[in-house]
Amino acid sequence: MNSTKAISYVEALNQALREEMHRNHLVFIMGEDVGELGGLFKVTQGLLQEFGSDRVIDTPISEAAIAGAGVGAALVGARPVIEFQFMDFMTIAMDQIVNHAAKLRYMTAGMASVPLVVRAPICAGIGLGAQHSQSLEAWFVHVPGLKVVMPSTPADAKGLLKSAIRDNNPVLFLEHRLLYAQTGPVPEGEHLVPLGRAVVRRAGSDLTVIATGRTVHLALAAARLLAAEGTEVEVIEPRTLKPLDTALLSKSVKKTNRAVVVNDGCRSCGYASEVVASVMEECFFHLDAPIQMVCTKDVPMPVSSTLQKEVMVSEEDVVRACRTALAA
Amino acid sequence: MNSTKAISYVEALNQALREEMHRNHLVFIMGEDVGELGGLFKVTQGLLQEFGSDRVIDTPISEAAIAGAGVGAALVGARPVIEFQFMDFMTIAMDQIVNHAAKLRYMTAGMASVPLVVRAPICAGIGLGAQHSQSLEAWFVHVPGLKVVMPSTPADAKGLLKSAIRDNNPVLFLEHRLLYAQTGPVPEGEHLVPLGRAVVRRAGSDLTVIATGRTVHLALAAARLLAAEGTEVEVIEPRTLKPLDTALLSKSVKKTNRAVVVNDGCRSCGYASEVVASVMEECFFHLDAPIQMVCTKDVPMPVSSTLQKEVMVSEEDVVRACRTALAA
Amino acid sequence: MGISRTCQPPASGSEPISAETRLEWYTCMCTIRAFDREIITLNRAGLVAGTAHLYIGMEAIAVGACAAMGKSDLLTSTHRGHGHCIARGLDMGRMMAEILGRADGYCQGKGGSMHITAVSQGMLGADGIVGGGIPIAVGAALGLRLKRDDSVIFCFFGEGAVNQGSFHEALNFASIHRLPVIFVCENNQWALSAAFAKTTAGQSVSGRATAYAMVGETVDGNDVEAVFLAASEAAQRARSGSGPTLIECLSYRHEGHSIFTRQEIRPSEEIEHWKRQDPIERYRRLLIAGQIATVERLKEIESEVRSDAERAVMFAKNSPEPDPATALSGVYE
Amino acid sequence: MGISRTCQPPASGSEPISAETRLEWYTCMCTIRAFDREIITLNRAGLVAGTAHLYIGMEAIAVGACAAMGKSDLLTSTHRGHGHCIARGLDMGRMMAEILGRADGYCQGKGGSMHITAVSQGMLGADGIVGGGIPIAVGAALGLRLKRDDSVIFCFFGEGAVNQGSFHEALNFASIHRLPVIFVCENNQWALSAAFAKTTAGQSVSGRATAYAMVGETVDGNDVEAVFLAASEAAQRARSGSGPTLIECLSYRHEGHSIFTRQEIRPSEEIEHWKRQDPIERYRRLLIAGQIATVERLKEIESEVRSDAERAVMFAKNSPEPDPATALSGVYE
Ligand SMILES: Cc1ncc(C[n+]2csc(CCOP(=O)(O)OP(=O)(O)O)c2C)c(N)n1
Ligand SMILES: Cc1ncc(C[n+]2csc(CCOP(=O)(O)OP(=O)(O)O)c2C)c(N)n1
Ligand SMILES: [Mg+2]
Ligand SMILES: [Mg+2]
């Protein structure tokens, strides 16, 4: 067991990149402003200086080419980690990610392998508005051939990113910009969190809250608040949205018989609906109440903080949903 | 009530376009091969000859520009109907559709209006493989600001397309290529099917099957088969996937207490999951069994017909799901 | 009543440009700068909603280009759009209110700086997506043609957008249809931290026009009259059915990329060099040397525009926060 | 053992091209045509899985370009990729099996004609997306550089792809990094029903190279040796670190767009004109005139390749349908 150190989520990501680049000279980074600027959110800080411009590539503003080049480099055995400054900009590269990265292995009966990691920050919180605030994870979970990861702590940020880089499938790695500054204990050196494993963040017997990314912290806060009232909430975080660790989710729901799903994406055809459908399939006869969903409201994200507050998921929303689930 | 005539789904679409172009000179068509060729699937046949090249525009292979130009033309009051040859190619135009068309009205507090219709055929069935067979409706249902329509009959194809063209919001109009040749009675002249209204295709008391597009016909076949065994299946078709007519769905499920959802998209984060989540919310205490989902398997679409058969939704799949729902 | 500027074209399109027109242009450039300077202060006070990309240093482009626009002409803007808005005569009070995310903003607080729009004034919108507005402008031109409307459209974008596929597809599209679009590239040498020379093969924006059989021209983007002349010729070409033009305006931004991303990686000598080319200062010297205005008159103008900017700030600060209920409405008609 | 062709470069890169090399090229062109002719028959019999885009009429491009490739070089192909595959030496039996969707196909029936791939032979894949392979080729070149591998990559695409954003972004990207990519545009004048001249501003593909500070060249795509020479120069340039080249090969397809979309809207005189320029027929005349081969020898070759094609068909027909269970596996490693 290696010693841990308290660092931020963004430092943890940076550490993962640095370690994997040292470990394998075929790992390289490509994206807008990832070099001299160290990335818009500083995730790649210092890597250009350490690894040089062959392995930390500042690109033109050409999202489709960045993703396409990532696919091509992966096809010949390199291990690209590409960065999108906001997930919203992935809309420009969907063909390369969905029609190519995700499908090449299957379409070629395994001849092609695309070990590509696509990183992007998601969601709102800093008033950048509708074109800089989307959480579109559901789109990618919908696409066979992709894996989708979303860490909520610095330790997982590091451990999951290292695993994603070593994975031989295209992995979408989604970061929440409101978490970048959060600090927490992170094991130094080799620390791998396997893809596909959910985790129990807090044990409880009365209600299961399944939360992703930033909302895990809202769920934990809600759980503490409800604990004070004598309700024991179990908080579970999938960490990997696809493949989903349904076993752990079902185990919990079969125990608590009630569930709430929290996600920063929009509700309609969002990730929460998928979790509800999956839990339903496995736990229907164990459920005492309808599963509650807490999601971003189904509107584009507004800029004004007064309005943004209305649209984003809040701790109060989670508490309210828990009470509804418990009351039913 | 106007007289009806038996025509094909593709003729019905063509009729809707022709009528709306006559009705409003600001309606125009833009896309690849929509002019002289009359569209890859013949939906725009004859329109170039009838309306000229200002209103039926053959474009370069530039999907992003086609969609972006559609948004721009709509912004100044024109009413573009753009065609994608396969829904898979919309992956190249997601920014224009999702970040612009869908969001402009809200972002500008109503100053901008985008009366744009985006047409595309979906799904598989003719062996064109993983890049020409996707049913990505879930992606668009996930995006606030878009409406999503999917007709299953010639009459609805005409009536819904005419309504879509008159709607002042961006509407995604999804056609199933296996339905193009199907014929059915279609009212001549002014025939409008309002967006947002589901329809009961067959009444029944034992089980509700909610199906979209092509799968409506599989559901009806399954219903006939089960009727022979004395089981009365109610088949409901949303027709408009977003906004969804949840009232009609709930009414039926509250009556039958059992439900099956059928959709040609992939299961994971697909449209079926959303319908399950919505029905759950409203009908949980009326459900006697878990809702069954029948979807395209979560793999890229293979070319070989032997393999394609395994991946696509079949009548047998629907029958099996119905039996499971009834047995539970 | 609103606080706004106009930058008229010369009485007739004919030379020479009158003294009052020149003063109007000078006033407009100063207004843009004063407006954006206020944002720096407001941001320190934490009052800006989200981010804002300042136009300081590039004023001659917006003023010169918009001076070539007719009443019914249209424009599409970018994330760095305040200059275009002011030059087009938008109300600075409502602009500033939007930048602060207030109820009286053009977008009632929903859009912020990156989405200021005024369809009624032909301003089809700023855009948060680099290159996003280019195909939209082309489509608008197509729509105008269908409506038998002979207006033209000015499409602004930064040089960073010229490596986007949307730029390529849109220019090809505009050219084959000879659409009345004036593509105005604001080449301020940098796209966030990306140097034009390092990211752009050929190192010339206007040079790419030939690929689209389009007239391309590079002008001194810090010379308002040079920009005006190029823009009016291009507009003339567009109106006469001779199709689109790509104008590359060389300029520079004096401030950081945005109030959100201020870290500076541009060489300080380069910044200093360009500040010495300040379009406002240059025009000021020209107006005085040409005896078009006295130092006093210009001082008057400068204080006028400052007070206008302050009034805009006041208006914005006094504007209420939007009603929370509005957050959930207005997605569909 | 497989059924395949090779089209070697001249023993040394040095002129003149030897007789046996020329015969090899002729043979390879005839093989491609014989192979695609079989598909027409198979399609009538309803045996093709999905669609196929025939290369008939364009054989000189694939053969001339692939003759300039070294053993370790790579290529990306298009929806119309049979010619590239055969010229690269892929097994025609496995190709045809894939086209029929059989278990012995390169993709075991999962990919079909539009996705034939043979990574081990440097063939990174046909592609169903117009323009899809262009940024992928550029990325592959980037990957090769990172691996200190001095191979080069040939990127094939049709002229219809040059109006895609991916073309623009990828060529800019390749140019700024001086990547070893040879962009080979197969300009057969038509993109489905879209005429090159109507959809492509400037009406020249190679003319767009200058926008990317890249060497651009237009060659007679029906002259196998002209294509070879341009391709080897470009490959030479790429290997020596002088960066990418854009080669436009003028040619024409003799058949309809695909066996799925056969409706013909091209003027019949145009089709006739181009058929008279048939690259195989032209080379045949040249070989005879130059006394490089006798009519008899060529007749031998022609029947050889026909029997090869027939053997490929036999192999494919005898190949079993894929095991249905395989449909649900192989999505992830
Ligand atoms: C598609 C897209 N990619 C990236 C960004 C992030 N971004 C915002 S502005 C900018 C630089 C734009 O440079 P340029 O076009 O030259 O305009 P300038 O800021 O210099 O005025 C970038 C990369 C974006 N908004 N949209
Ligand atoms: C992105 C995309 N748009 C449209 C299509 C449909 N399509 C397939 S081939 C083709 C024409 C391609 O023309 P060109 O690139 O010149 O190649 P050619 O068929 O002439 O060899 C089109 C429009 C596609 N496959 N991908
Ligand atoms: Mg710039
Ligand atoms: Mg072609």
Side-chain angles (χ1 to χ4, degrees):
Chain A
M1 201 21 220
N2 35 18
S3 66
T4 75
K5 193 152 154 238
I7 59 175
S8 72
Y9 187 94
V10 69
E11 288 165 324
L13 292 167
N14 184 267
Q15 201 172 93
L17 291 170
R18 176 176 282 103
E19 289 177 10
E20 292 305 302
M21 288 178 83
H22 276 298
R23 181 172 176 275
N24 182 344
H25 74 284
L26 293 177
V27 174
F28 74 102
I29 292 169
M30 183 161 53
E32 293 157 20
D33 309 295
V34 294
E36 234 172 307
L37 197 75
L40 196 58
F41 294 100
K42 298 288 162 232
V43 175
T44 56
Q45 182 100 67
L47 299 179
L48 170 66
Q49 294 71 7
E50 188 166 349
F51 298 98
S53 57
D54 280 2
R55 295 184 62 194
V56 181
I57 303 173
D58 268 322
T59 68
I61 305 172
S62 307
E63 280 80 7
I66 294 165
V71 173
L75 277 177
V76 298
R79 306 190 78 86
V81 179
I82 65 173
E83 172 175 307
F84 284 84
Q85 295 188 328
F86 292 88
M87 185 177 204
D88 311 67
F89 308 156
M90 292 180 65
T91 52
I92 301 173
M94 296 304 286
D95 166 59
Q96 297 297 340
I97 296 168
V98 172
N99 291 335
H100 293 88
K103 296 174 171 46
L104 281 168
R105 178 183 300 279
Y106 182 89
M107 289 195 301
T108 63
M111 268 181 287
S113 182
V114 185
L116 169 71
V117 175
V118 180
R119 291 182 40 248
I122 59 166
C123 194
I126 55 179
L128 296 183
Q131 295 177 334
H132 292 68
S133 302
Q134 294 169 90
S135 299
L136 300 169
E137 55 270 27
W139 283 7
F140 300 88
V141 170
H142 190 47
V143 178
L146 299 177
K147 292 185 178 181
V148 183
V149 177
M150 190 185 287
S152 75
T153 68
D156 279 356
K158 176 178 178 177
L160 287 167
L161 183 51
K162 285 167 72 80
S163 296
I165 292 170
R166 298 186 196 183
D167 197 280
N168 284 332
N169 302 287
V171 179
L172 201 69
F173 193 90
L174 302 176
E175 306 158 7
H176 199 298
R177 90 169 57 73
L178 294 181
L179 296 177
Y180 280 133
Q182 284 205 16
T183 60
V186 176
E188 296 187 305
E190 190 75 349
H191 163 61
L192 296 170
V193 175
L195 304 189
R197 289 253 198 86
V199 61
V200 177
R201 290 291 178 196
R202 177 193 176 106
S205 49
D206 304 331
L207 167 68
T208 301
V209 175
I210 300 159
T212 63
R214 174 190 76 108
T215 69
V216 171
H217 304 284
L218 306 180
L220 288 170
R224 283 190 294 273
L225 186 144
L226 290 162
E229 303 173 6
T231 308
E232 281 313 323
V233 175
E234 180 149 291
V235 177
I236 294 189
E237 177 188 6
R239 298 195 291 191
T240 299
L241 307 192
K242 181 175 192 163
L244 176 61
D245 184 354
T246 46
L248 189 68
L249 272 54
S250 307
K251 185 154 160 293
S252 174
V253 175
K254 284 177 178 165
K255 175 180 72 180
T256 63
N257 312 116
R258 295 170 188 276
V260 171
V261 181
V262 194
N263 171 252
D264 266 324
C266 284
R267 154 62 207 278
S268 186
C269 273
Y271 191 66
S273 298
E274 176 57 32
V275 173
V276 166
S278 302
V279 171
M280 269 288 296
E281 261 187 328
E282 312 213 341
C283 311
F284 179 80
F285 294 106
H286 296 79
L287 283 171
D288 294 342
I291 302 171
Q292 299 298 312
M293 285 175 271
V294 185
C295 307
T296 293
K297 305 292 188 307
D298 276 322
V299 307
M301 188 60 65
V303 163
S304 137
S305 51
T306 306
L307 301 178
Q308 190 179 241
K309 226 172 106 299
E310 294 298 306
V311 177
M312 288 179 73
V313 174
S314 71
E315 182 187 331
E316 299 66 50
D317 296 334
V318 180
V319 172
R320 200 175 312 110
C322 290
R323 293 195 198 286
T324 313
L326 290 159
Chain B
M1 199 25 217
N2 32 19
S3 66
T4 74
K5 194 153 153 240
I7 58 174
S8 72
Y9 187 93
V10 70
E11 287 166 324
L13 292 168
N14 184 266
Q15 201 173 92
L17 291 170
R18 175 176 283 103
E19 289 176 11
E20 292 306 302
M21 288 178 83
H22 275 299
R23 180 171 176 276
N24 183 343
H25 74 285
L26 293 177
V27 174
F28 74 102
I29 291 170
M30 184 160 54
E32 294 157 20
D33 309 295
V34 295
E36 235 173 305
L37 196 75
L40 196 59
F41 293 101
K42 298 287 162 231
V43 174
T44 55
Q45 182 101 64
L47 299 179
L48 170 67
Q49 294 72 5
E50 187 166 349
F51 298 98
S53 57
D54 279 2
R55 295 183 64 194
V56 181
I57 303 172
D58 267 323
T59 67
I61 305 173
S62 306
E63 280 80 7
I66 294 166
V71 173
L75 277 177
V76 298
R79 306 189 77 85
V81 179
I82 64 173
E83 170 175 308
F84 284 84
Q85 295 188 326
F86 292 89
M87 184 177 203
D88 311 67
F89 308 157
M90 292 181 64
T91 51
I92 300 173
M94 295 304 287
D95 166 59
Q96 297 297 339
I97 296 168
V98 172
N99 291 335
H100 294 87
K103 295 175 172 46
L104 280 167
R105 178 183 300 278
Y106 181 90
M107 289 195 302
T108 64
M111 268 181 286
S113 183
V114 185
L116 169 71
V117 174
V118 179
R119 291 182 40 247
I122 60 167
C123 195
I126 54 178
L128 295 183
Q131 295 177 335
H132 290 70
S133 303
Q134 293 169 91
S135 299
L136 300 169
E137 55 269 26
W139 283 7
F140 300 87
V141 170
H142 190 47
V143 178
L146 300 177
K147 292 186 179 181
V148 182
V149 176
M150 191 185 287
S152 74
T153 67
D156 279 356
K158 176 179 178 178
L160 287 167
L161 183 51
K162 284 168 74 80
S163 296
I165 291 170
R166 297 185 196 184
D167 198 281
N168 284 332
N169 302 287
V171 179
L172 201 70
F173 193 90
L174 302 177
E175 306 158 7
H176 199 298
R177 90 168 58 73
L178 294 182
L179 296 178
Y180 280 132
Q182 284 206 14
T183 60
V186 177
E188 296 185 305
E190 189 75 349
H191 163 62
L192 296 170
V193 176
L195 303 189
R197 291 252 198 86
V199 61
V200 177
R201 289 290 177 197
R202 177 193 177 106
S205 51
D206 303 331
L207 167 68
T208 301
V209 174
I210 301 160
T212 63
R214 173 189 76 108
T215 68
V216 171
H217 303 284
L218 306 181
L220 289 169
R224 283 189 293 273
L225 185 145
L226 290 163
E229 303 174 7
T231 307
E232 281 314 324
V233 175
E234 180 149 294
V235 178
I236 295 189
E237 176 187 7
R239 299 194 291 192
T240 299
L241 306 193
K242 181 175 192 162
L244 177 61
D245 184 354
T246 47
L248 190 68
L249 271 55
S250 306
K251 187 156 158 293
S252 174
V253 175
K254 284 178 180 168
K255 176 180 72 179
T256 63
N257 311 115
R258 296 170 188 276
V260 171
V261 181
V262 195
N263 170 253
D264 266 325
C266 284
R267 154 61 207 280
S268 186
C269 273
Y271 190 66
S273 298
E274 176 57 32
V275 173
V276 167
S278 302
V279 171
M280 268 289 295
E281 262 186 328
E282 313 213 339
C283 312
F284 179 80
F285 294 106
H286 296 79
L287 283 171
D288 294 342
I291 302 171
Q292 299 298 313
M293 286 175 271
V294 186
C295 308
T296 293
K297 305 290 189 309
D298 277 322
V299 307
M301 188 62 64
V303 162
S304 139
S305 51
T306 306
L307 301 179
Q308 191 178 241
K309 225 171 105 300
E310 293 298 306
V311 177
M312 288 178 74
V313 174
S314 70
E315 181 187 330
E316 298 66 49
D317 296 334
V318 181
V319 172
R320 200 177 310 110
C322 291
R323 294 194 197 287
T324 311
L326 290 161
Chain C
M1 61 111 236
I3 313 151
S4 67
R5 289 275 161 237
T6 54
C7 42
Q8 302 294 341
S12 88
S14 66
E15 298 316 321
I17 302 168
S18 73
E20 56 275 37
T21 299
R22 290 192 152 122
L23 280 182
E24 198 170 66
W25 292 356
Y26 181 75
T27 308
C28 194
M29 290 199 287
C30 292
T31 306
I32 294 169
R33 183 159 302 185
F35 182 89
D36 270 3
R37 282 243 172 92
E38 291 292 343
I39 294 174
I40 297 173
T41 319
L42 290 164
N43 186 48
R44 285 209 202 84
L47 287 172
V48 175
T51 189
H53 302 76
L54 307 182
Y55 202 72
I56 295 174
M58 299 158 62
E59 296 87 349
I61 304 174
V63 173
C66 292
M69 290 178 70
K71 265 245 151 306
S72 71
D73 291 339
L74 308 173
L75 73 146
T76 58
S77 177
T78 70
H79 57 284
R80 195 178 303 285
H82 304 163
H84 314 133
C85 293
I86 292 173
R88 184 54 181 173
L90 269 65
D91 180 317
M92 292 185 274
R94 295 186 60 196
M95 281 176 63
M96 196 61 90
E98 190 56 41
I99 291 161
L100 302 196
R102 302 301 175 88
D104 298 302
Y106 273 101
C107 306
Q108 297 170 25
K110 287 176 170 177
S113 164
M114 281 195 288
H115 297 293
I116 296 174
T117 302
V119 174
S120 60
Q121 284 169 271
M123 163 56 179
L124 298 186
D127 200 321
I129 301 297
V130 168
I134 309 178
I136 290 175
V138 169
L142 205 59
L144 291 173
R145 173 171 294 180
L146 192 69
K147 293 168 67 182
R148 308 256 174 281
D149 177 330
D150 60 6
S151 307
V152 304
I153 180 157
F154 284 67
C155 173
F156 292 93
F157 52 89
E159 91 290 342
V162 306
N163 297 317
Q164 279 288 30
S166 57
F167 164 86
H168 176 71
E169 296 187 10
L171 268 71
N172 180 67
F173 200 103
S175 178
I176 58 176
H177 290 289
R178 302 180 80 70
L179 292 171
V181 186
I182 298 92
F183 296 100
V184 182
C185 178
E186 306 183 310
N187 185 350
N188 60 10
Q189 325 294 324
W190 293 84
L192 225 163
S193 75
F196 176 63
K198 279 195 193 171
T199 52
T200 315
Q203 307 191 3
S204 160
V205 172
S206 63
R208 290 187 175 186
T210 45
Y212 310 107
M214 197 183 289
V215 178
E217 188 178 357
T218 302
V219 301
D220 178 347
N222 285 2
D223 176 344
V224 65
E225 301 196 359
V227 174
F228 167 75
L229 292 175
S232 11
E233 274 174 29
Q236 182 45 39
R237 209 174 287 121
R239 288 183 215 290
S240 66
S242 309
T245 303
L246 173 57
I247 303 173
E248 173 181 19
C249 304
L250 299 177
S251 186
Y252 205 76
R253 58 172 157 79
H254 291 184
E255 301 297 320
H257 171 69
S258 72
I259 60 173
F260 174 78
T261 306
R262 275 159 57 211
Q263 184 189 347
E264 195 53 80
I265 71 156
R266 300 176 301 172
S268 48
E269 322 68 58
E270 185 183 283
I271 299 175
E272 285 324 308
H273 163 79
W274 278 95
K275 282 189 172 171
R276 283 192 297 276
Q277 308 297 318
D278 180 353
I280 292 181
E281 196 43 44
R282 272 172 59 182
Y283 207 49
R284 190 175 203 284
R285 283 199 294 273
L286 187 141
L287 294 180
I288 290 165
Q291 279 158 27
I292 285 145
T294 62
V295 176
E296 295 60 38
R297 179 73 188 97
L298 298 185
K299 282 208 160 33
E300 273 168 41
I301 290 176
E302 288 146 21
S303 63
E304 260 171 54
V305 303
R306 265 194 306 279
S307 68
D308 284 354
E310 283 154 16
R311 278 166 56 224
V313 170
M314 271 308 130
F315 175 85
K317 283 181 170 171
N318 295 333
S319 174
E321 282 291 318
D323 170 357
T326 61
L328 305 185
S329 65
V331 179
Y332 295 93
E333 182 191 79
Chain D
M1 65 107 233
I3 313 152
S4 67
R5 291 274 161 239
T6 54
C7 42
Q8 302 293 340
S12 89
S14 66
E15 299 314 321
I17 303 168
S18 73
E20 58 276 35
T21 299
R22 290 193 154 119
L23 281 182
E24 197 170 68
W25 292 357
Y26 180 75
T27 309
C28 194
M29 289 198 288
C30 294
T31 306
I32 294 169
R33 182 159 302 185
F35 182 89
D36 271 1
R37 283 243 172 90
E38 292 292 344
I39 293 175
I40 298 174
T41 320
L42 289 164
N43 186 49
R44 286 210 201 83
L47 287 172
V48 175
T51 189
H53 301 76
L54 306 182
Y55 202 72
I56 296 174
M58 298 159 61
E59 295 87 350
I61 304 173
V63 173
C66 291
M69 291 178 70
K71 264 244 152 308
S72 71
D73 292 339
L74 306 174
L75 73 147
T76 59
S77 178
T78 70
H79 57 285
R80 195 177 303 284
H82 304 163
H84 315 133
C85 293
I86 291 172
R88 184 54 179 174
L90 268 65
D91 180 317
M92 292 186 273
R94 293 187 60 197
M95 282 177 62
M96 195 61 91
E98 190 55 41
I99 291 162
L100 303 196
R102 303 301 176 90
D104 298 302
Y106 273 102
C107 305
Q108 298 169 25
K110 287 176 170 176
S113 165
M114 282 196 287
H115 298 294
I116 296 175
T117 302
V119 175
S120 61
Q121 285 169 271
M123 163 56 180
L124 297 186
D127 200 322
I129 302 297
V130 169
I134 310 178
I136 289 176
V138 169
L142 205 59
L144 291 173
R145 174 172 294 181
L146 191 68
K147 292 167 70 181
R148 308 257 174 280
D149 177 330
D150 60 7
S151 307
V152 304
I153 179 157
F154 284 67
C155 173
F156 292 93
F157 52 89
E159 90 292 340
V162 305
N163 296 318
Q164 278 288 29
S166 56
F167 165 85
H168 176 70
E169 296 188 8
L171 267 71
N172 180 67
F173 200 102
S175 178
I176 58 176
H177 290 288
R178 302 180 80 68
L179 293 171
V181 186
I182 298 93
F183 296 100
V184 182
C185 177
E186 305 182 311
N187 185 351
N188 61 9
Q189 325 294 326
W190 292 84
L192 225 162
S193 75
F196 176 62
K198 279 196 193 171
T199 52
T200 316
Q203 307 191 4
S204 159
V205 172
S206 62
R208 290 188 174 184
T210 46
Y212 311 107
M214 196 183 289
V215 178
E217 187 179 357
T218 302
V219 300
D220 178 346
N222 285 2
D223 175 343
V224 65
E225 301 196 0
V227 173
F228 168 75
L229 292 175
S232 9
E233 273 175 29
Q236 182 45 40
R237 209 175 286 122
R239 287 183 216 290
S240 66
S242 309
T245 303
L246 173 57
I247 302 173
E248 174 181 19
C249 305
L250 299 177
S251 186
Y252 204 77
R253 57 171 158 81
H254 290 184
E255 301 297 321
H257 171 68
S258 71
I259 60 173
F260 174 77
T261 306
R262 272 159 59 211
Q263 184 189 348
E264 193 54 79
I265 70 156
R266 300 175 302 173
S268 48
E269 321 70 59
E270 184 183 284
I271 298 175
E272 283 326 307
H273 164 79
W274 278 95
K275 281 189 172 172
R276 284 192 297 276
Q277 309 297 317
D278 180 354
I280 293 179
E281 196 42 45
R282 272 172 60 181
Y283 207 47
R284 190 174 204 285
R285 283 199 295 272
L286 186 140
L287 295 181
I288 290 165
Q291 280 158 26
I292 286 145
T294 61
V295 176
E296 294 60 38
R297 178 74 189 96
L298 297 185
K299 282 208 161 37
E300 271 168 40
I301 289 176
E302 289 146 22
S303 65
E304 259 172 54
V305 302
R306 267 195 303 280
S307 69
D308 284 354
E310 283 155 16
R311 277 167 56 225
V313 171
M314 271 310 132
F315 175 86
K317 283 182 169 171
N318 295 334
S319 175
E321 282 292 317
D323 170 356
T326 61
L328 304 185
S329 66
V331 180
Y332 296 93
E333 182 191 78

